[in-house]
Each structure stands twice: as structure tokens, then as C-alpha cells.
Amino acid sequence: MKIISNALELKQELREQNGTIGYVPTMGALHEGHIALIKEARKENKVVVVSIFVNPTQFLAGEDLNRYPRRDEADKKICELAGVDFLFMPHAEELYFDDEVKIAAPNVRGYVLEGATRPGHFSGVLRVVMKLLNIVNPTNAYFGKKDAQQLNLIELMVKQFFMDVNIVPIDTVRDSDGLALSSRNAYLSKEQRQDALKIPKSLYRASQMVSRGILDVESIKENIVDVLEPLEIAYVEILNREFEVIESVEIGKSVILVEALVGNTRLLDNVWL
Ligand code: AMP
């Protein structure tokens, strides 16, 4: 495995490779969720590239940029063991420029849900993902369904900018207790982790309602809110795959998204129905 921090050097290395390139962008503190993406990339491509970059432009003022977990040495070992060919670990000063040409999140889809609680977050995400995709120029890029809105906006960017990459969504990996794996779970105390389990529980209950034939969005949302009690809820939404509001769940075409605060930690989860 080659570890590279310079974008032009990585581009040069990748130009010399033959065959398909699979790419997994991450912010590090790697867990089984990231590893699932890497494994899929390994299975489907000749060359696998992973990046670790805690992207400052997607953190709002006062968010956890400076305390975001960093585990570079452990991450390098995980990548090596997972069969990664190139690990890209750029520095912010090399990726960003003064007075930059900028891509911005769309006014509606980029500012609802997570975009409403974190206005500007998705512009930062799209800025960095656009740069990273242009550097790596992968055949396939792997993203988790756990960050459903992010995935949706990246698919939109790729389509609207006529970019030549296949976006591959990967199912959410959960801990044995049901909590979706996230680097931010490291912030939770033992008690908070117990509280956080209300999130997957609420989604499980909602899926059970749907499988019993209850499709009315308002009733399902009420049930989710009840289960989440007394957590502070950022949003509970049931949308179609275009992220538009619906009144009734359509199986195979809907997604339930939840964001709740456990202490100061924002936790996201969703279920694709
Ligand atoms: P992050 O390092 O949190 O930016 O995540 C990097 C990629 O891993 C994103 O595409 C995430 O959606 C994905 N990811 C994070 N957690 C999980 C999980 N529990 N299961 C599957 N994918 C995940």
C-alpha cells in the first residue's frame, strides 16, 4: 500500500494503473462501516483507493472539527489489511485555494433535514467530494446509505455535472446492539449509548408498522417520535427516493430519516423501505 498526501502525485500514480479504480472517501477513525465500503471496492475493482481527510469546509463554526476522532496509525493498518492499494491523506492547505471557484449545495435539497440543522454543511461536502473525485478519477465510488442525504446530493452532483463516475450505495453496518456505526459514537458515554439505541429501535418499529400494512406517514412519524422520547429530535421525515415529502409509504420507493441529539452528539440513521 502506498500512502500519498500530494494530489498531483496520486494523479500521476493512478494514471500509470491499468483497469478499474474503486474509491472510498472517508474522514478516518475507520470502523466496520468503512470497511464494508472498502471490501466492496476491493471485490469490484482492480485498484482500490481510500482517502482520509477531515474536511474543514463541511464543519460549521462551533462544530466538532477540532475534536473529531483522528486515528491515523490504526487507520493505516486497517487499510493495509483490507487490501487498499493507495491511501490518500491530503492536507487542507493543498486541497483548497484562496478565492476559489466553488460548487454549492442546491437551495432546496441541500437545506432540508441535515442541511437545515447544519446550513452550509452540504456545500462543504460537495466541494470536497468534487475535488476528490477529480483527483482520483475512479470508475466506481462507494458511499454509505447511512448518510442518505449526502448520497442523494452526490448522485445529483454527478448527474448534473455530467461526471464520469459510477456511485455505488452501500447498506448501513450496525453494531450488535443495532446502533449504526459512526466515528462519532466514540463521543457517547455508556449511558448515552443506551439512550442512542432508541434511534434504531424507532426505525425498527416503523418498519414493523409498514410490514403490517400501516403506510400512513403521519402515524408512522408519531410512533417514531414516541419511541425517541425523551431524546431531542432534529427531524423525523419519511420521503421518496427523490427526497420529496409523501403522505403514504410506497414500498421500494421510500426512506425514513431520523436525526436526534444524544447529549451534544448528533446521530443520524435511516431505513430504506
Ligand atoms: P465518514 O468517514 O463518516 O465521512 O464516512 C465515510 C463513508 O462511510 C461515507 O460514505 C459514509 O456514509 C460511510 N459510512 C459511515 N458509517 C457507515 C456505516 N455504519 N455503514 C455503512 N457506511 C458507513
Side-chain angles (χ1 to χ4, degrees):
M1 181 178 81
K2 277 197 178 168
I3 301 174
I4 295 179
S5 67
N6 181 273
L8 297 178
E9 191 184 329
L10 180 68
K11 269 178 102 72
Q12 185 54 39
E13 287 274 2
L14 293 175
R15 245 183 244 125
E16 290 162 14
Q17 306 293 317
N18 293 316
T20 55
I21 297 178
Y23 174 44
V24 180
T26 81
M27 298 210 299
L30 301 179
H31 50 63
E32 288 294 332
H34 299 112
I35 293 170
L37 273 62
I38 299 172
K39 277 191 180 151
E40 198 58 29
R42 185 65 286 168
K43 222 190 308 170
E44 296 176 351
N45 301 275
K46 176 94 191 309
V47 177
V48 173
V49 182
V50 170
S51 62
I52 295 179
F53 179 58
V54 182
N55 171 39
T57 65
Q58 71 189 69
F59 288 79
L60 307 191
E63 287 189 346
D64 56 342
L65 173 63
N66 294 326
R67 63 183 194 110
Y68 194 83
R70 284 172 169 80
R71 294 196 214 111
D72 286 357
E73 291 315 308
D75 288 350
K76 286 178 193 168
K77 289 205 183 89
I78 290 171
C79 287
E80 181 98 58
L81 285 172
V84 172
D85 299 298
F86 294 95
L87 177 56
F88 182 42
M89 301 177 81
H91 302 291
E93 310 78 58
E94 284 185 64
L95 276 196
Y96 287 107
F97 300 83
D98 293 334
D99 195 24
E100 224 180 51
V101 180
K102 284 192 200 78
I103 183 174
N107 289 336
V108 179
R109 281 206 229 182
Y111 287 86
V112 292
L113 307 168
E114 174 96 351
T117 49
R118 305 177 70 189
H121 165 70
F122 286 120
S123 291
V125 170
L126 295 182
R127 271 175 82 185
V128 80
V129 172
M130 166 81 98
K131 281 171 189 276
L132 293 168
L133 290 176
N134 284 338
I135 293 166
V136 177
N137 197 16
T139 323
N140 300 301
Y142 297 80
F143 292 88
K145 287 184 178 180
K146 164 160 179 293
D147 299 288
Q149 193 177 7
Q150 166 175 289
L151 170 62
N152 180 264
L153 290 169
I154 289 167
E155 283 174 334
L156 209 62
M157 174 179 82
V158 164
K159 178 170 166 231
Q160 295 181 350
F161 281 77
F162 303 95
M163 294 167 73
D164 238 350
V165 54
N166 178 38
I167 301 296
V168 186
I170 301 289
D171 286 340
T172 300
V173 178
R174 297 176 181 280
D175 234 326
S176 52
D177 58 9
L179 190 65
L181 293 177
S182 162
S183 307
R184 288 193 168 99
N185 292 352
Y187 299 152
L188 301 173
S189 69
K190 229 174 169 185
E191 295 74 38
Q192 285 176 331
R193 199 185 155 95
Q194 278 311 112
D195 292 341
L197 293 180
K198 290 181 189 297
I199 299 170
K201 189 172 162 196
S202 73
L203 291 173
Y204 179 66
R205 289 272 183 84
S207 327
Q208 281 184 321
M209 284 177 84
V210 172
S211 53
R212 286 203 309 271
I214 303 167
L215 302 177
D216 174 57
V217 161
E218 279 316 310
S219 318
I220 301 169
K221 276 165 72 169
E222 273 169 30
N223 196 278
I224 294 173
V225 169
D226 282 349
V227 179
L228 290 174
E229 198 73 31
L231 297 184
E232 186 184 331
I233 298 170
Y235 57 79
V236 172
E237 281 300 345
I238 304 182
L239 306 173
N240 66 18
R241 296 291 165 84
E242 281 70 49
F243 275 66
E244 293 157 344
V245 174
I246 50 175
E247 282 175 16
S248 178
V249 166
E250 251 193 280
I251 294 175
K253 293 188 180 162
S254 310
V255 56
I256 307 181
L257 303 114
V258 170
E259 183 184 309
L261 273 123
V262 180
N264 292 323
T265 307
R266 285 184 181 285
L267 295 176
L268 299 183
D269 205 345
N270 59 65
V271 58
W272 300 50
L273 299 165

